[in-house]
Amino acid sequence: MNHAGQHSRLQRFGLGSVLLLILLLLSLAPFSTVLQRLDFLWLDALTRLRAQQQSPDPDLIVIDIDDYSLTAMAEQIGAWPWPRATHAGLIEWLNEQGARAIVFDIWFSEPDKFRPEMDQYFAEVLAAHDNVYLPTLLQNSLTPERDRLLRSYPALNAIERTATANPDARAQLILPTIATPEHWRLGLINFSPDGDGVARHYDIYQELSGWRVFSLPAVVARDLGYALPAGNRLRLDWRGGRPPYPTHAYVDVFAKVMNGEADARFRDKVVFIGSTASGNHDLRPTALSAQFPALYMLVNAVDNIKHGQALHYQPWWQLVYGAVLLLWLYWRSSSKAAFSSTVLQTVTVAALLVAASFTAIRLGVLVAVVTPLLGLLLLLAAAGLLRYLRERDARAEALDLFGRFLDPNVVEQLARDGLTDQSLAARDCEITVLFSDIRGFTTLSEQHPAPVIMALLNDYFSQQVARIFQHHGTLDKFIGDAIMAFWGAPLDDPQHARHAVAAALDMCEELERFVAAKGLQGFDIGIGIHTGPAVVGMLGSAQRYEYTAIGDTVNLASRMEGLTKGIARVLVSEATRQACLAQAGADASEAFDFIPRGEYKVKGRNEPVTVYEPRRKP
């Protein structure tokens, strides 16, 4: 049918539009917080899985100001914040134990107004030891024009001026208020979350108009001789465990300090001092937990820099492989492949993508699958919907077409059996063809005006077609005042010959009632029936298709209709008689009598044709 091509073009256009829309959404995924969150749900789960398989560096040790330490030490030295002399004593003791570096994740941005001598002691300790590191913070100022010029800050190891530095660049750094700048070893500990507010990276440095302000992990790692990674951010390759690094409660270590006890566990170690206490509000949302101590983020960053480790994730990767998968699915959906096969292959591809993501995380590579799989699902759903709509329209069109030449009950059966374009496809089959032509029609048409003749023919055809449908026949066409019908397609009919003969006899009876009712004179018909092979299916041009039968069987049936003049109203061939007998089986003798009417030569055949007049058994 010509509509099938239109449906196919509509489907490709509709599916192509969906494909372009999904590709657009996929390209926006790296910039869309909503789409990023979908991918991060999966990527964070993979990150947690990998974290459990990573071992922490044993040379990185944490001294934790936890809730237990705050409570226990409140009886000895008072509530938090503690006197700076407490930390100074700890620094001296750690250096006595051979600690390689001491990193504080504690603010010293305000002086101790009530115990200035403690700050002085702390400053003296910092001056005596060059392995102590303190945090600083880059503030987001509401009045950046009033911020301090970067070139006006004292020489700090955290600030680096590049060749492109703007001399008038400004920034507001929170600096320590104890000791002097020459004894400061500082680094940023700014919290740098992703678009969804979750920390997955640690800055190596922040770029400010050509000035680089390095983070605390970068400063510590650089001073310890570790190579800094390229770029200004490090995607943390987390370490799992609770806690993830060897941890000692501050109160327990301080007890050793007060008692003068030695502890070889701190020799050659990098010691990080900070707080995980809930009251200090230093918990951050990360890929591992919604409340993860920022202290361990700092340690983890140093660990990653030391070992040259980081997770690798490029958002544009998913655009590349996502686009490839979508184009593949578009090609599959636009082809003539079975949709169930396409679904199965899509599920297989999705499973392989998930498996690849699991494999990649073992290598420290993050492969996003959520947005590409959502894209595949959307395109597959669109393809399924468009295919359903196309098949529904084609089925409705086919039902409408069959409804013109089949009994409605037969059409319903075709619908139940799954009517599609394939039902109309050309095929070879054995059928029985009937031709019926009106005798005396020319004379009748000369005696009555055209509208009367047309009304008469319409009534006649309606009644004759009803008899054909009654016996499960297929109406092929009207040829002027002639009717062509056949049995055996589109539904298989094991009794096609017997049904055709029964229909012909009923048509004769219907003719007599019609003639009597209309008071017609000289109005008669001839019917020829032949059984044999034929090609049945849609035939025609792009403008008009018809469901018809072609072949020698059709031609002979037409010739036999022409033989009926002066012989019998209905004539059947030897092939039809034999088919009736074979189809009737043991009951053949009770079906029809076949009266021989001789042999006749017909056009297009060398051998004469034996014809019979069928009659019902009395």
Side-chain angles (χ1 to χ4, degrees):
M1 296 184 294
N2 62 327
H3 295 295
Q6 294 175 0
H7 286 146
S8 179
R9 288 192 296 272
L10 286 173
Q11 183 195 37
R12 287 196 297 271
F13 175 78
L15 201 57
S17 299
V18 174
L19 173 65
L20 290 176
L21 178 60
I22 294 174
L23 285 174
L24 177 62
L25 291 175
L26 190 63
S27 65
L28 293 176
F31 312 102
S32 169
T33 301
V34 174
L35 294 178
Q36 276 187 339
R37 284 178 178 174
L38 292 176
D39 279 321
F40 287 160
L41 287 174
W42 174 256
L43 297 179
D44 289 348
L46 292 178
T47 301
R48 290 191 292 271
L49 178 65
R50 177 174 171 82
Q52 298 304 318
Q53 302 167 352
Q54 300 297 305
S55 299
D57 188 319
D59 291 336
L60 306 179
I61 293 181
V62 172
I63 296 178
D64 182 16
I65 303 172
D66 54 6
D67 290 314
Y68 161 63
S69 296
L70 289 177
T71 302
M73 292 188 68
E75 300 177 359
Q76 305 176 37
I77 59 177
W80 181 265
W82 300 327
R84 303 283 165 72
T86 306
H87 305 307
L90 178 61
I91 291 171
E92 291 188 305
W93 181 83
L94 287 171
N95 277 303
E96 289 173 1
Q97 310 311 310
R100 189 176 179 189
I102 302 168
V103 185
F104 278 93
D105 187 24
I106 301 172
W107 291 111
F108 299 104
S109 57
E110 295 181 359
D112 190 338
K113 296 179 180 180
F114 302 101
R115 294 164 293 197
E117 71 282 1
M118 301 290 187
D119 283 3
Q120 181 60 36
Y121 173 40
F122 190 52
E124 293 172 0
V125 171
L126 290 180
H129 301 284
D130 61 359
N131 65 341
V132 181
Y133 296 84
L134 306 178
T136 184
L137 186 71
L138 182 63
Q139 285 190 312
N140 292 321
S141 176
L142 296 177
T143 55
E145 69 281 358
R146 297 180 182 178
D147 289 346
R148 185 174 175 178
L149 290 169
L150 278 170
R151 57 184 168 84
S152 69
Y153 281 95
L156 300 174
N157 57 349
I159 300 179
E160 179 182 284
R161 181 172 184 168
T162 68
T164 61
N166 179 1
D168 295 324
R170 297 174 179 271
Q172 191 64 40
L173 292 173
I174 299 179
L175 301 176
T177 58
I178 53 177
T180 55
E182 62 267 23
H183 298 138
W184 292 342
R185 280 158 292 279
L186 306 179
L188 293 177
I189 58 169
N190 283 71
F191 178 66
S192 299
D194 290 337
D196 59 353
V198 177
R200 300 178 180 88
H201 300 81
Y202 212 108
D203 290 336
I204 299 300
Y205 60 84
Q206 293 202 31
E207 185 90 26
L208 303 171
S209 301
W211 298 77
R212 290 180 178 177
V213 184
F214 286 86
S215 67
L216 186 56
V219 170
V220 172
R222 186 176 57 187
D223 288 355
L224 293 176
Y226 309 142
L228 297 183
N232 66 332
R233 298 187 86 194
L234 173 77
R235 191 175 185 107
L236 292 171
D237 191 1
W238 299 89
R239 303 298 186 255
R242 292 176 178 268
Y245 289 88
T247 301
H248 306 275
Y250 194 108
V251 64
D252 294 337
V253 177
F254 190 71
K256 294 179 180 290
V257 174
M258 297 300 292
N259 295 329
E261 297 179 20
D263 194 332
R265 292 178 295 178
F266 293 94
R267 181 172 298 280
D268 295 325
K269 300 297 191 279
V270 180
V271 182
F272 296 83
I273 304 170
S275 176
T276 66
S278 56
N280 284 348
H281 305 290
D282 203 18
L283 303 176
R284 306 292 186 180
T286 69
L288 297 190
S289 171
Q291 290 188 318
F292 190 83
L295 169 63
Y296 289 111
M297 290 178 59
L298 190 154
V299 183
N300 209 131
V302 174
D303 191 345
N304 285 172
I305 296 173
K306 176 181 178 180
H307 296 283
Q309 286 184 301
L311 294 180
H312 301 282
Y313 171 62
Q314 292 294 339
W316 59 267
W317 290 349
Q318 67 200 63
L319 177 59
V320 174
Y321 59 77
V324 170
L325 294 179
L326 287 171
L327 290 172
W328 166 81
L329 180 56
Y330 173 74
W331 168 77
R332 282 284 306 177
S333 301
S334 299
S335 68
K336 295 183 178 180
F339 188 68
S340 58
S341 174
T342 299
V343 172
L344 180 61
Q345 290 191 22
T346 303
V347 171
T348 302
V349 167
L352 290 175
L353 181 59
V354 172
S357 186
F358 272 110
T359 303
I361 193 61
R362 295 178 178 274
L363 303 175
V365 177
L366 293 167
V367 176
V369 300
V370 177
T371 49
L373 290 183
L374 280 178
L376 282 179
L377 180 61
L378 287 174
L379 187 60
L380 185 64
L385 177 61
L386 289 172
R387 180 168 295 201
Y388 163 75
L389 292 176
R390 187 194 67 176
E391 292 180 353
R392 185 196 65 179
D393 292 344
R395 184 168 174 266
E397 188 172 334
L399 284 172
D400 179 65
L401 179 63
F402 275 122
R404 303 173 194 171
F405 47 77
L406 284 178
D407 178 26
N409 293 327
V410 177
V411 175
E412 289 182 10
Q413 183 178 347
L414 279 171
R416 290 194 301 270
D417 293 343
L419 182 63
T420 63
D421 286 342
Q422 295 302 315
S423 307
L424 307 178
R427 61 189 180 98
D428 294 316
C429 57
E430 182 178 275
I431 62 173
T432 297
V433 183
L434 177 150
F435 271 91
S436 172
D437 194 14
I438 298 176
R439 303 281 182 256
F441 179 74
T442 302
T443 302
L444 185 66
S445 62
E446 292 174 350
Q447 297 173 350
H448 300 281
V452 174
I453 295 300
M454 293 298 292
L456 187 69
L457 283 179
N458 285 335
D459 289 345
Y460 165 73
F461 284 148
S462 295
Q463 295 179 22
Q464 295 292 63
V465 169
R467 302 287 77 76
I468 293 172
F469 286 171
Q470 179 183 340
H471 292 281
H472 316 301
T474 299
L475 176 65
D476 188 306
K477 63 176 70 70
F478 298 111
I479 311 171
D481 59 342
I483 299 174
M484 175 183 170
F486 55 86
W487 282 256
L491 289 178
D492 292 334
D493 182 3
Q495 304 290 320
H496 56 83
R498 296 183 65 228
H499 288 158
V501 173
L505 296 178
D506 280 358
M507 290 171 69
C508 292
E509 295 175 0
E510 189 65 40
L511 170 71
E512 292 175 359
R513 288 191 290 270
F514 178 78
V515 169
K518 299 293 184 180
L520 300 175
Q521 298 294 327
F523 190 94
D524 202 355
I525 61 173
I527 299 176
I529 303 175
H530 178 55
T531 301
V535 177
V536 181
M538 298 305 299
L539 182 69
S541 66
Q543 290 74 32
R544 181 176 177 81
Y545 274 72
E546 293 290 346
Y547 188 74
T548 188
I550 59 175
D552 184 64
T553 296
V554 177
N555 297 332
L556 184 53
S558 177
R559 302 283 186 269
M560 291 187 61
E561 181 276 322
L563 294 176
T564 60
K565 297 177 182 179
I567 301 176
R569 185 174 280 166
V570 181
L571 289 178
V572 303
S573 66
E574 175 67 24
T576 299
R577 186 182 77 89
Q578 292 294 336
C580 285
L581 295 176
Q583 292 168 7
D587 297 330
S589 60
E590 300 177 5
F592 308 109
D593 284 329
F594 292 94
I595 311 303
R597 293 302 184 186
E599 296 182 347
Y600 296 89
K601 291 282 292 182
V602 297
K603 183 179 179 181
R605 300 181 71 91
N606 295 325
E607 297 296 327
V609 175
T610 302
V611 296
Y612 300 86
E613 179 185 358
R615 294 179 183 175
R616 283 193 175 90
K617 292 257 183 208

